[in-house]
Amino acid sequence: MLDRNVITEFYQNRTILLTGVTGFLGQAIAAKILRDLSQIQRLYVLVRSKTGRGGTTLSAMERLEEEFFNSSVLDRFKRSEPDAYQQVRAKVVAVPGDISQHRLGIDDNLYADLQSAVDLVLSVAATVEFDAALDLSIELNTLGPQRILEFIQGCRKEPVLVHVSTAYVNGCRSGSIPEEPLPTDRTIAQLQTNSATDTFDPETEIKSCFDFCIRVRGDASSPRMRRQFENEVRQQNSTRHVSVSRREKLVKGKAHRWIHDQLVSEGMRRAKGHGWNDIYTFTKAMGEQ
């Protein structure tokens, strides 16, 4: 076990960028840093805005306040050391952004400022839903880490990167499995059968997945599918009058659900075919490959 002094010395005056602070693990990491590693210089946290209840938009700072500072993870710290809490809280800066977007969705000027200052990146953000839409999971879990690497490659201080993995990237393998990076040219199914006939290329797989998602979204807006959604709405509301605007909203809802179901079904099919359990483990593993 590392000596506590070694850890505190490592974090002395560090400027950290943390992703995933509103998630379960990200909250715990951020709280631990603030309480036990208060000698840091700054803690930047990447937070995307989101639509809240009633259709209002929560900014990055508002989400940080509501989902981190006001969460129970900090309650003990606030009670036992209120002055220390206020001091380290001032070191936390919300960065509006999104790992699913180009350049992490960060404003260009702020992106450059961060690249000049950051010397430690904690990559925690991911979608952990086992049945999320295939394209969303790829953007977050597979391409998100690549965008983090692109950010780091432009940093002045060559920061340390900590990428949070999951044991589940080992998919359906069983028994004693060494804790080491996955092969970049093999699926779990190929590792299980020791198959060497075909190599696996994550980039080719990603393109194939996106091509499928584009086709599905295109099909959803086709006249044929439009008629199907309209018929379903008409049948479900045959005994009552539905306004034109309401009918259109119901049709769009049908299309949205159909797209989601198609993308989840295809993602699960690909994941299981390659030896992973679900879309989450499949896309997390490809991100690491």
Side-chain angles (χ1 to χ4, degrees):
M1 176 178 286
L2 280 176
D3 182 89
R4 181 181 176 87
N5 291 334
V6 175
I7 298 174
T8 54
E9 182 180 342
F10 175 82
Y11 278 88
Q12 184 73 36
N13 293 321
R14 288 279 184 180
T15 298
I16 305 168
L17 175 64
L18 169 67
T19 69
V21 70
T22 59
F24 176 77
L25 184 57
Q27 281 189 350
I29 291 173
K32 187 69 172 175
I33 290 172
L34 295 183
R35 177 158 191 164
D36 294 334
L37 300 168
S38 60
Q39 70 276 16
I40 63 168
Q41 180 73 28
R42 186 78 65 208
L43 176 60
Y44 291 105
V45 290
L46 187 72
V47 187
R48 64 176 176 82
S49 61
K50 75 171 186 180
T51 302
R53 295 175 181 174
T56 58
T57 299
L58 292 175
S59 68
M61 189 63 233
E62 289 169 336
R63 278 198 72 193
L64 182 64
E65 186 72 32
E66 181 176 301
E67 299 180 31
F68 177 63
F69 286 126
N70 290 340
S71 71
S72 60
V73 73
L74 291 167
D75 285 351
R76 184 180 175 188
F77 187 19
K78 292 176 183 178
R79 289 195 306 268
S80 62
E81 303 174 69
D83 293 338
Y85 167 75
Q86 290 299 330
Q87 288 177 358
V88 295
R89 174 182 169 133
K91 296 185 178 185
V92 184
V93 178
V95 176
D98 185 344
I99 65 168
S100 71
Q101 302 298 317
H102 175 62
R103 290 168 66 86
L104 303 175
I106 302 173
D107 172 80
D108 286 344
N109 291 333
L110 180 54
Y111 192 89
D113 290 343
L114 290 172
Q115 286 186 317
S116 296
V118 169
D119 53 20
L120 174 61
V121 177
L122 304 177
S123 177
V124 182
T127 175
V128 298
E129 294 180 57
F130 295 158
D131 58 352
L134 179 58
D135 49 0
L136 173 64
S137 294
I138 290 176
E139 289 288 4
L140 290 168
N141 296 344
T142 305
L143 299 183
Q146 308 309 307
R147 298 182 181 107
I148 293 290
L149 284 176
E150 290 169 2
F151 169 81
I152 288 174
Q153 287 167 351
C155 286
R156 182 170 60 86
K157 297 181 180 180
E158 298 184 356
V160 175
L161 168 64
V162 179
H163 171 74
V164 175
S165 181
T166 169
Y168 295 128
V169 296
N170 284 296
C172 298
R173 297 165 78 185
S174 60
S176 179
I177 303 170
E179 188 173 338
E180 60 188 16
L182 293 169
T184 59
D185 60 350
R186 289 288 186 275
T187 65
I188 296 299
Q190 289 171 329
L191 291 174
Q192 288 178 306
T193 60
N194 198 27
S195 171
T197 55
D198 296 307
T199 58
F200 177 67
D201 178 20
E203 292 188 4
T204 300
E205 181 69 18
I206 291 166
K207 182 180 184 305
S208 176
C209 288
F210 276 136
D211 286 345
F212 175 86
C213 295
I214 291 170
R215 288 197 302 273
V216 166
R217 294 186 184 281
D219 288 345
S221 60
S222 67
R224 177 179 63 84
M225 293 305 301
R226 168 81 185 190
R227 286 193 297 271
Q228 177 179 317
F229 300 143
E230 288 177 340
N231 287 336
E232 290 176 3
V233 169
R234 190 176 299 110
Q235 291 171 7
Q236 292 173 356
N237 295 273
S238 59
T239 60
R240 59 177 178 174
H241 172 73
V242 178
S243 67
V244 174
S245 60
R246 175 61 178 167
R247 185 183 301 115
E248 182 62 24
K249 186 175 181 179
L250 292 172
V251 168
K252 287 182 178 179
K254 288 280 186 183
H256 178 78
R257 286 189 293 275
W258 182 83
I259 291 171
H260 179 78
D261 290 346
Q262 295 297 311
L263 299 189
V264 170
S265 176
E266 177 66 10
M268 295 294 278
R269 183 191 70 79
R270 288 175 182 257
K272 292 180 181 298
H274 289 316
W276 283 283
N277 298 298
D278 45 60
I279 297 173
Y280 165 60
T281 56
F282 172 47
T283 55
K284 277 288 282 186
M286 283 201 297
E288 293 174 25
Q289 287 177 316

